[in-house]
Amino acid sequence: MNITVRAVPDVNRYEITVDDKPAGFTEYAPPGSRRAAPGEIAFLHTEIDPAFGGQGLGGELIGFALDDARKQGLAVIPYCPFVRSYLAKHEEYLDLVPADRRADFEL
């Protein structure tokens, strides 16, 4: 099984494929947009195709996206419930959410 995750900034999302087949994505609002201030990325929605469910692809996708946000020096605003859940389980990423906003997302 060949898994690929990539940023697709033209459509404000990260995508994951399995053997070159689309398996899922996470959408975001880029820095300086209506939903994200400068220096922030706001994750809005994540979907994994049911045909690929239960394989850990959602976690791989979000881990990649959060690593990319860290590399870019962006704060993370987790409007997406899946991203919030991932952050709650992976404390190594919690510092990406501004401390004064964590309570807003029950983190």
Side-chain angles (χ1 to χ4, degrees):
M1 183 161 67
N2 182 25
I3 298 170
T4 303
V5 183
R6 66 186 182 113
V8 188
D10 293 345
V11 291
N12 298 329
R13 63 195 227 171
Y14 291 86
E15 298 175 341
I16 189 165
T17 59
V18 176
D19 297 329
D20 296 322
K21 295 180 184 111
F25 63 89
T26 189
E27 294 176 328
Y28 62 86
S33 65
R34 185 175 64 83
R35 303 279 311 261
E40 295 179 344
I41 184 170
F43 287 95
L44 308 173
H45 179 71
T46 302
E47 281 186 33
I48 297 295
D49 184 313
F52 296 97
Q55 299 178 37
L57 298 178
E60 194 158 335
L61 171 65
I62 298 307
F64 179 94
L66 294 175
D67 286 339
D68 194 47
R70 187 181 304 282
K71 284 181 203 165
Q72 295 181 56
L74 298 174
V76 169
I77 307 302
Y79 292 116
C80 171
F82 187 86
V83 174
R84 278 196 308 272
S85 174
Y86 186 89
L87 287 163
K89 294 174 186 167
H90 295 88
E91 293 182 6
E92 68 271 23
Y93 291 109
L94 196 55
D95 65 303
L96 292 172
V97 180
D100 64 341
R101 299 288 310 270
R102 291 178 194 159
D104 297 342
F105 301 103
E106 299 178 3
L107 295 169

